[in-house]
Amino acid sequence: MRKVRILIRSRCFIRQIKTTQYLHSVAVAKSSAFCDWKVEFNRRLNGLSKLGRIQEARQMFDECPDKDEFAWNTMIAAYANAGRLTEADRLFREAKVKSSITWSGLISGYCRYGYENEAFELFCEMQLKGERPTQYTLGSVLRLCSETGSLQRGEQIHGFVTKTGFSENAFVVTALIDAYAKCKCVSEAEYLFEAVADRKNCAIWTAMLTGYAQNGESFSAIKCFQDMRAEGIESNQFTFPSILTACGAVAAPDFGVQVHGCIVKNGFDANIFVQSTLIDMYAKCRDLDSAKRVLECMEVDDEISWNSMIVGCARNGFGRETVSWFRKMHARNMKLDNFTYPSVLNSLAFMEDKENAVCVHCLIIKTGFGGFKLVSNALVDMYAKQGKLDCAFTVFNLMVERDVISWTSLVTGYAHNGAYEEAIKLFREMRVEGIHPDQIVIASVLSASAELTIIEFGLQVHAILIRSGLGSSLSVNNSLITMYAKCGGITDANQVFESMRTRDVISWTAMVVGYAQNGRGKDSVCFYDQMIAAGIRPDSVAFVGLLFACSHAGLVEKGRHYFDTMNKVYGIQPGPEHYACMIDLLARSGKLVEAQQLMSQMVVEPDATVWKALLAACRLHGELDLGEKAAKNLFELEPRNSVPYVMLSNMYSKACRWEDAARIRRLMRSRGIRKEPGCSWMEINGNVHTFFAEDRSHPLTADIYLKIEEIMMLIRKAGYVPDMNSALHDINDESKELGLSYHSEKLAVAFGILSLPRGAPIRIFKNLRVCGDCHTAMKCISNVYSRYIILRDSNCFHHFREGKCSCADYW
């Protein structure tokens, strides 16, 4: 019985064991099935997220009753990568468990879309919560520092990297090098690069090389690439574009060809990004054939590569090639964008191809790029350079948003096309609009001020430049020198010149010409000698100023010497302007025979400039026969110009050949030619006051004529004797003297004495050459009234001080 009970108990125990085993196996099976389901769920959720099907992923996520950490991280990252940062942040706050992956997912999203403050606030919060950032978190925030140029935050991250032991992590160090380089701190990037123990990582080398290239240190980039090759480090698709950019920047085609060989050897010659940079490099090195071969070998038409070709041609002045490639691109129905059009428009501007310019403008409107500021600026610039100022202004006026480039293009266009007053008016409007001028527009308005000889406005522009803190570029300084010199402020021009750190041939030439125009011929020659001693090679403009200086200073031998050195030493073929200066020099010195011989030796026929110089010298020396010959040639060359008629008539009058003088006057009337009336003007407090001979239209006429009487009385006592030869009419001496008293420049100087405080210079401008009597009178007035008088006539400046003139009477 007992055995039976034991047997029953044994069988029950065995049955319990089997039941337990069965239940366990069922539990295991259920657990395994659950795990398989969760793995499948996460896999599908991740797949939908990567495909961008976020709504489907979110629906699946919401329906899941038991979401694990992977699911939360996947969904947060999906929203963050898609730029839906509000939803990402909401899910992030709802997540019960947050790992470093969770934090990094949202931080990376903020970084990717440029939310700098949010990214760094979350990064700080992550550390406060005790969560350690990963290398990928640090990489994201450092990449954001690179893109935004946030050096200070980059330095803070660098401190954190050093503290937490990430300074040996190649991924983080690469990001740090890139951040410093993009923040223009190349020396800090170099320090980090040199401190890396194991530099077998291609990414680190590429970051350093790219940093050099992006900061204009192209030769350092080339050296870095050579060292990289020597270390046996293989380059990748990111390395090659950077080194090619450096080669293009310094025009190193030989090294570029070697890099091209490495690209082919490493199998990156089919990479579109690399191909595009190759085209850009060859174009910048002016090797269009190689650029063309690379472009034609591409399997697909890539807009970036074609744009690189077009931009390269445009930058190197290959206008026709630029337009040709643009046409091919358009014929292939490739996408034209706001990078394509500006290059083509720039080429058309320099080609002055007005017909194609209009066609491209129509295409811009048709393709909807007319509203792009970059394209509109290029259109304004193109029309302005072509002299179509109305079209330029129309495009400018239709622009919704204008920047400094828009204004600069228009102002510069007006100034370069001789519309100086309009250029200055636009500059004033630009200032009212609150646009801060750049150096280009400053140089343009200074040039306009120089041409209009309005020194007061030029001084204001100079003050704007100083207040702006822009500093002076070489072109601005050259414009300042020219402006002061052309406005009679040669001392101010010299101060600008002396303050310049770098000078070019334009700087020196501006001073040589400036001193010559201001009657200081010997100083002009001295400056030229200094220019040669400084190793500056003179151009043809410098020789015009130099010979003009010799002419007005009576330096015959020096003039001959400089004229001979033009061709013999510097290979510059003398032009009509140089011959005119030499003939003027010889003729002024009474060497009229030699002047005629020089004219006969000219390679080309003498033009109006040469005959005018000879005619002026003949008038000075009373050589009537030769003067008649010069005048008759001018009648043919410039039939509508009144100057030769008036000069010949005056020469006849001076010789008392009244009938011949009357005949020339009648000839003028029969041909409908009118003598330009002598006019003098001056600017006081922004207002221009104009005077004509015997003019009585000025509001202060009574005071001016009373002052004239006083002036004439005082200078007669000081020894002034009227020059009756300057009154060329057959009238009595008393009437002649009275007429001389009321010449326009005398009225202007009288007004200046009345209106300007003692000590202030009196600046007068005249459209014709000052007559001999007024020149003598001005010397006396400057002495009697102790005034500095600056008179600019059609030929040069006359600086009158203490009874002397800067032209040393060679006027």
Side-chain angles (χ1 to χ4, degrees), residues 230-492:
E231 291 282 338
I233 309 297
E234 290 294 331
S235 304
N236 59 23
Q237 69 270 30
F238 303 107
T239 316
F240 288 120
S242 296
I243 187 60
L244 289 171
T245 300
C247 293
V250 294
D254 294 339
F255 193 80
V257 169
Q258 294 176 28
V259 174
H260 192 174
C262 294
I263 290 168
V264 174
K265 185 178 177 181
N266 285 268
F268 289 104
D269 52 319
N271 183 286
I272 291 177
F273 191 40
V274 174
Q275 286 175 321
S276 177
T277 321
L278 261 174
I279 293 166
D280 182 64
M281 184 274 294
Y282 280 126
K284 284 179 179 174
C285 294
R286 304 178 69 85
D287 187 355
L288 293 185
D289 290 335
S290 298
K292 180 182 176 182
R293 281 195 294 272
V294 174
L295 187 63
E296 290 176 344
C297 287
M298 294 182 69
E299 295 178 0
V300 294
D301 286 336
D302 175 58
E303 286 86 359
I304 296 173
S305 303
W306 280 76
N307 279 339
S308 296
M309 186 72 185
I310 289 170
V311 170
C313 290
R315 284 178 178 170
N316 286 283
F318 298 111
R320 297 190 182 281
E321 289 81 355
T322 304
V323 176
S324 175
W325 283 106
F326 173 77
R327 283 175 174 164
K328 290 176 184 176
M329 189 175 182
H330 183 233
R332 292 184 182 219
N333 292 321
M334 296 174 68
K335 184 182 177 183
L336 305 172
D337 57 24
N338 56 328
F339 295 102
T340 317
Y341 286 118
S343 298
V344 179
L345 292 170
N346 187 49
S347 294
L348 290 169
F350 286 105
M351 290 168 63
E352 298 185 358
D353 189 343
K354 297 181 181 180
E355 185 178 346
N356 278 319
V358 174
C359 293
V360 173
H361 191 177
C362 292
L363 188 61
I364 287 168
I365 296 169
K366 185 178 177 181
T367 52
F369 281 94
F372 282 72
K373 187 165 61 177
L374 192 66
V375 177
S376 294
N377 285 345
L379 276 169
V380 172
D381 183 64
M382 178 196 69
Y383 280 128
K385 284 176 178 172
Q386 289 185 348
K388 299 173 74 172
L389 298 178
D390 291 342
C391 295
F393 185 78
T394 301
V395 175
F396 176 83
N397 216 27
L398 290 172
M399 291 177 69
V400 177
E401 183 185 357
R402 304 167 189 145
D403 58 9
V404 66
I405 298 172
S406 320
W407 285 93
T408 298
S409 297
L410 194 62
V411 172
T412 303
Y414 273 96
H416 287 179
N417 284 281
Y420 305 118
E421 292 182 12
E422 289 82 356
I424 289 172
K425 191 182 295 183
L426 279 167
F427 179 75
R428 285 172 171 159
E429 290 177 17
M430 174 184 174
R431 297 284 294 157
V432 171
E433 289 287 329
I435 304 295
H436 297 289
D438 60 11
Q439 293 181 338
I440 299 172
V441 76
I442 290 285
S444 295
V445 291
L446 285 171
S447 297
S449 303
E451 295 301 326
L452 295 173
T453 59
I454 46 175
I455 194 168
E456 287 187 11
F457 183 77
L459 287 165
Q460 292 173 18
V461 175
H462 195 176
I464 290 169
L465 175 68
I466 294 169
R467 284 200 304 270
S468 68
L470 285 171
S472 292
S473 65
L474 185 60
S475 63
V476 170
N477 280 328
N478 290 343
S479 296
L480 276 169
I481 292 171
T482 304
M483 184 274 293
Y484 281 123
K486 284 191 173 182
C487 292
I490 191 64
T491 303
D492 296 317

Side-chain angles (χ1 to χ4, degrees), residues 707-718:
K707 179 58 72 173
I708 284 287
E709 290 180 13
E710 175 194 299
I711 289 171
M712 299 308 293
M713 180 184 68
L714 291 175
I715 63 175
R716 281 194 199 96
K717 288 181 180 179

